[in-house]
Amino acid sequence: MDEPIRVALALGGGGARGYAHIGVIQVLQEQGYEIVGISGCSMGALIGGLHAAGQLPAYTDWVSALTQRDVLRLLDPSLKARGAIRGDKVMARVRDLLDGRRIEDLDVPFTAVATDLFNRKEVWFQQGPVDAAIRASIALPSFIPPVMLNGRLLADGGLMNPIPITPLAALHADATIAVFLAGEPEDHLGKAPVRESAEPRPVDEWRERFRRSAARVLDRETTRRLAARFGSGRGSEGLGTVDLPLADVSEAAFGELPRDLGFFDVLELSLDVLQSVVNRYRLAGYPPDVLVTVPKNACRTLDFHRGAEMIELGRTLTEQALAGASLSRTE
């Protein structure tokens, strides 16, 4: 029999869309490809680390069974932390699965990519506890708090490298396959099934509670501090004036914001803009042999109850991408 084609896998971040990575890996294994190395940021680091440790099937069974109420309990919201959710409950489950495994002891070479916010540099975890590397890499700003390690403030690696292909350059692979989770939207995706009950979704209830609580905190505690820091020098009396001739601007110039545009939607849109620009720059320098692109409207960042659906989408998109590729083994 011919030896299998060796592939290096770069897995990007994108919240719940990262479940698609599971489908990617499943298809590669079923079609006989040998995964000889993985690098990932955010959810890509989580899925990649679990696969390299041999624990992805157990994790897949767990997330595929999560309901919306399960997700509400796991989100672990907090107004005191440096992010909307702590992530402690999810990481506790991941730590149980990894059971103290270290990166250098994994059967598959693995790199988790984080961002050093103080020094504006990438950080590659290629040694040490797998769970610690994953926790640093999944710290998506405004969602999950960053972590401090040896004087470095570490956050989501996708801020600087949305598809971390560069850590795979030294591997002896026949091809590089990259998975991008913020592709252009498609009309038929991203629409959750309509619930027969008129009862609000648990995740929506949590979003609304967080929005109201955050507004109260900002009104009460933060406005004066922001005014003193960013205002026009008038202390806490106001946030200052905008240097813009508003008299020349018609009120009709500003339309109403979309009614369904929420707090987390604005964060997602902002991150999408950032990652799309960085991603184009990165792919120009390190183009993969195969690019699997998941539309950004496949699901929202916190839709972690849609595991089975995202896994199936990842399978479909990977089969399509491989069908249009011509990969072969090199010596």
Side-chain angles (χ1 to χ4, degrees), residues 276-312:
S276 65
V277 173
V278 176
N279 183 58
R280 284 197 296 270
Y281 165 76
R282 290 286 188 170
L283 289 182
Y286 297 91
D289 297 288
V290 177
L291 178 63
V292 179
T293 302
V294 178
K296 56 187 161 188
N297 67 332
C299 75
R300 294 184 294 185
T301 299
L302 298 181
D303 284 349
F304 288 103
H305 60 286
R306 298 174 67 180
E309 179 184 345
M310 289 300 102
I311 292 170
E312 187 60 33

Side-chain angles (χ1 to χ4, degrees), residues 102-239:
R102 296 180 63 85
I103 295 175
E104 57 267 34
D105 297 330
L106 298 176
D107 294 333
V108 178
F110 169 67
T111 302
V113 179
T115 298
D116 181 347
L117 295 179
F118 287 154
N119 296 303
R120 303 177 185 178
K121 294 181 179 179
E122 285 183 49
V123 176
W124 294 1
F125 287 94
Q126 296 179 323
Q127 294 182 351
V130 181
D131 61 323
I134 291 173
R135 176 60 184 84
S137 186
I138 67 171
L140 184 62
S142 298
F143 286 95
I144 300 177
V147 296
M148 284 295 297
L149 179 64
N150 298 331
R152 297 176 183 268
L153 183 64
L154 302 179
D156 192 328
L159 295 174
M160 296 194 70
N161 201 345
I163 310 178
I165 296 176
T166 44
L168 304 172
L171 293 176
H172 186 49
D174 302 311
T176 299
I177 298 177
V179 186
F180 183 47
L181 300 180
E184 290 303 311
E186 295 186 8
D187 292 340
H188 64 288
L189 294 174
K191 298 179 181 179
V194 177
R195 293 164 56 89
E196 296 181 1
S197 171
E199 178 186 357
R201 297 186 307 159
V203 173
D204 289 337
E205 293 175 0
W206 175 80
R207 289 171 184 259
E208 180 63 19
R209 288 203 304 269
F210 182 88
R211 185 193 65 77
R212 292 176 180 174
S213 300
R216 288 197 298 270
V217 170
L218 286 174
D219 289 342
R220 216 173 36 239
E221 301 175 7
T222 308
T223 302
R224 288 193 297 273
R225 177 172 59 83
L226 291 174
R229 183 175 179 185
F230 300 112
S232 59
R234 294 188 298 224
S236 60
E237 296 179 0
L239 290 174

